[in-house]
Amino acid sequence: MRLRIALLAGLSIALSACTTTPSIATKSPVETRWVGQSAGIFFAKFGPPLSDVSNGSSTTYTWRGGYKKAKIPAKYEEKDGKRGRQISTARSASLSCTVQLTVDSNYKISSIRTVSDRPGVNGPSYCAEFLASE
């Protein structure tokens, strides 16, 4: 019995020393640009939302837009500063972006979440290219 209590006490002490470090989530360029801004400015610049859902003192808007046809150039390996073999061919892409904005009672954006995104012309996120630019 004493051994059990001693083991439990030891386990309790060992576990109490373990802590979880909160992960510091990096904000996306879209969040950095729009959180804290007026939703009116967002909708004036990019157009009206598709839908909205009221959640007490906040409202969640779903917005879709940024429709664009883009030509994505071919990509090549780089060896010793020279262009190597082709990795992907040039192509045309239909780009668009869908986000959900949560707006507080003062009509300020408290969060913005990307719902659908595609790789952009200059990077991995078309939403970031389209919505985060000034």
Side-chain angles (χ1 to χ4, degrees):
M1 185 72 161
R2 284 187 175 196
L3 181 61
R4 240 187 238 173
I5 292 173
L7 285 173
L8 284 174
L11 183 62
S12 297
I13 291 169
L15 288 177
S16 68
C18 296
T19 59
T20 335
T21 309
S23 64
I24 300 172
T26 57
K27 287 186 174 182
S28 72
V30 177
E31 289 174 304
T32 302
R33 168 72 177 93
W34 288 105
V35 170
Q37 300 293 319
S38 169
I41 294 171
F42 181 93
F43 295 134
K45 185 170 183 173
F46 299 115
L50 292 174
S51 64
D52 60 274
V53 176
S54 186
N55 304 323
S57 65
S58 66
T59 305
T60 301
Y61 295 96
T62 300
W63 175 89
R64 183 180 302 142
Y67 300 105
K68 175 182 174 182
K69 289 270 191 198
K71 292 188 180 197
I72 311 294
K75 293 184 181 176
Y76 298 89
E77 280 184 346
E78 192 170 316
K79 290 184 178 181
D80 302 323
K82 296 181 181 177
R83 187 166 81 175
R85 70 178 182 92
Q86 188 173 8
I87 298 170
S88 66
T89 60
R91 60 186 170 85
S92 291
S94 297
L95 304 175
S96 66
C97 177
T98 305
V99 294
Q100 284 187 330
L101 298 96
T102 302
V103 177
D104 64 18
S105 59
N106 296 324
Y107 210 55
K108 298 279 184 199
I109 299 171
S110 57
S111 72
I112 186 166
R113 182 177 70 88
T114 303
V115 176
S116 72
D117 195 4
R118 298 173 190 268
V121 176
N122 300 315
S125 170
Y126 176 65
C127 286
E129 289 178 15
F130 185 73
L131 296 175
S133 64
E134 286 291 327

